[in-house]
Amino acid sequence: MTQFTSRAVRIDQNGGPEELKIVDVPVGEPGPGEIRIRHKAIGLNFIDVYQRSGLYPFPMPLQLGMEASGVVDAVGDGVTHLQVGDRAAYASNPPGSYSELRVMPAKCVCKLPDAISFETGAAMMLKGLTAQYLLKKARPVEGLEPGDHVLFHAAAGGVGLIACQWAKALGLQLIGTAGTDAKCQLVLANGAAHAINYNTQDFAARVKDITGGKGVKVVYDSVGKDTWDKSLECLRPFGLMASFGNASGAVPPFAPGMLGAKGSLYVTRQTLFTHIATREATQAMADDLFAVVLSGQVKIHIDQRYPLAEVQQAHRSLEARQTTGCTILTL
């Protein structure tokens, strides 16, 4: 059995960015349903921070990373949608993309269209597929129609900037929040109908002003604890609170009765990996994402690049909210 060696980023215990270590790991042959992929670029995501810190617990040691692009190096038995030499990209469990080379399940790996670069492929999969399911699948009970208002927190981030553009293409009036005036300008430049600086404005009051007191049909929230209560105030009756992250910390427990008092609201906690649990679902969502990117309606903004060796600094910048758009690690 052929053994290769790959540089990889691993943690031996949960903690801060200082726990991220570059190590050499052995990489073998792919088994049934697996591929080996040689990475060209790696995506950085907030879920990586959650796994490093222990908010999302994993057995140790843990090789981090959920997203990357590269070239298929070997294919295991039963894999028919990929061949050696294919350009490919993925967002996938288990973690391990912070590496030069890895063996992984093939079901969530998709062929990357020739017109999309490896860097864009690495930056767009987890964030773009997240935006896809939020706007197309995590929908309020009354549906979404062109002209409807939606509220999107952290709209200047990687998922947010994709969602701003995609929402505009769908005819939605997206209200984006961000933490600085410069980020608000970025949100508007990417198709949001309105932008709110939540550090200087009461976003719930502004949403009511923008919507003529009606509120929005859906709030998309990856911030968590800091935005939760006021987000519920932004919803119209039968509105949907779609939580998909905890950048400020986990949402505290709440009594379901409050949802009735606020207008018979719905709450959902979404995760991408439920949506891409099958090969067919993954491919259908990826095809939708590739189409909207190739059409030019959604541009993938890579605003930060770090060599793999600088992964600690990349995590510090992400946690300090010093980043916009997408961040990638380069090899």
Side-chain angles (χ1 to χ4, degrees), residues 4 74 78 145 185 191 214 220 238 248 256 258 269 271:
F4 296 89
E145 305 294 337
Q185 289 303 311
K214 292 180 178 178
Y220 298 112
F238 308 111
S248 68
M258 69 183 286
R269 177 58 168 93
T271 172

Side-chain angles (χ1 to χ4, degrees), residues 3-331:
Q3 281 275 56
F4 296 89
T5 299
S6 168
R7 278 191 311 152
V9 176
R10 193 176 72 191
I11 61 171
D12 296 315
Q13 62 184 18
N14 294 122
E18 69 280 357
E19 297 297 337
L20 298 163
K21 305 291 194 300
I22 305 279
V23 296
D24 289 329
V25 297
V27 180
E29 296 295 323
E34 294 181 332
I35 63 160
R36 189 171 63 225
I37 184 167
R38 188 168 294 280
H39 291 142
K40 297 290 188 179
I42 300 156
L44 186 76
N45 295 282
F46 235 100
I47 192 172
D48 307 343
V49 173
Y50 301 154
Q51 292 174 357
R52 190 206 72 221
S53 70
L55 180 64
Y56 294 175
F58 275 82
M60 295 292 144
L62 175 64
Q63 190 173 309
L64 286 173
M66 308 296 287
E67 173 183 51
S69 67
V71 176
V72 177
D73 190 67
V75 175
D77 290 343
V79 177
T80 58
H81 69 288
L82 295 167
Q83 297 178 349
V84 173
D86 280 349
R87 304 170 78 253
Y90 66 85
S92 178
N93 267 321
S97 70
Y98 287 13
S99 60
E100 296 171 318
L101 186 71
R102 72 179 293 202
V103 170
M104 64 179 295
K107 71 175 184 179
C108 290
V109 183
C110 299
K111 285 182 69 171
L112 186 65
D114 289 342
I116 298 177
S117 72
F118 285 117
E119 287 200 347
T120 298
M124 72 187 276
M125 293 299 287
L126 192 144
K127 292 169 278 287
L129 293 174
T130 298
Q132 196 276 349
Y133 84 68
L134 290 172
L135 294 171
K136 299 290 188 76
K137 297 184 177 185
R139 296 164 71 88
V141 67
E142 295 182 332
L144 285 175
E145 305 294 337
D148 283 345
H149 287 95
V150 303
L151 178 63
F152 205 103
H153 288 304
V159 178
L161 289 184
I162 294 171
C164 286
Q165 298 172 75
W166 210 332
K168 183 178 181 181
L170 294 171
L172 301 174
Q173 300 285 307
L174 185 143
I175 305 167
T177 69
T180 69
D181 289 343
K183 286 186 176 182
C184 285
Q185 289 303 311
L186 187 62
V187 167
L188 292 170
N190 279 273
H194 306 273
I196 302 169
N197 182 338
Y198 54 70
N199 283 321
T200 60
Q201 296 175 289
D202 180 333
F203 73 80
R206 283 285 294 128
V207 166
K208 287 295 174 67
D209 288 344
I210 291 166
T211 61
K214 292 180 178 178
V216 297
K217 280 188 173 181
V218 58
V219 177
Y220 298 112
D221 184 12
S222 63
V223 177
K225 177 173 64 72
D226 290 355
T227 49
W228 184 262
D229 291 338
K230 284 205 166 182
S231 292
L232 293 174
E233 295 175 24
C234 295
L235 288 165
R236 60 193 288 177
F238 308 111
L240 173 66
M241 181 70 181
S243 169
F244 67 104
N246 329 270
S248 68
V251 176
F254 62 92
M258 69 183 286
L259 301 174
K262 290 181 180 294
S264 301
L265 303 179
Y266 292 77
V267 171
T268 181
R269 177 58 168 93
Q270 298 277 310
T271 172
L272 172 63
F273 300 105
T274 311
H275 288 278
I276 59 172
T278 68
R279 165 88 211 108
E280 295 74 20
T282 304
Q283 193 64 56
M285 290 172 64
D287 287 345
D288 194 23
L289 173 61
F290 293 152
V292 78
V293 170
L294 290 169
S295 75
Q297 291 176 299
V298 170
K299 294 179 172 61
I300 306 300
H301 298 286
I302 302 173
D303 294 337
Q304 297 82 212
R305 291 172 172 83
Y306 296 89
L308 187 64
E310 294 179 16
V311 64
Q312 290 188 4
Q313 185 54 50
H315 270 237
R316 289 188 189 99
S317 297
L318 186 65
E319 285 186 279
R321 303 191 187 181
Q322 294 169 348
T323 65
T324 57
C326 301
T327 302
I328 61 169
L329 302 171
T330 59
L331 295 162

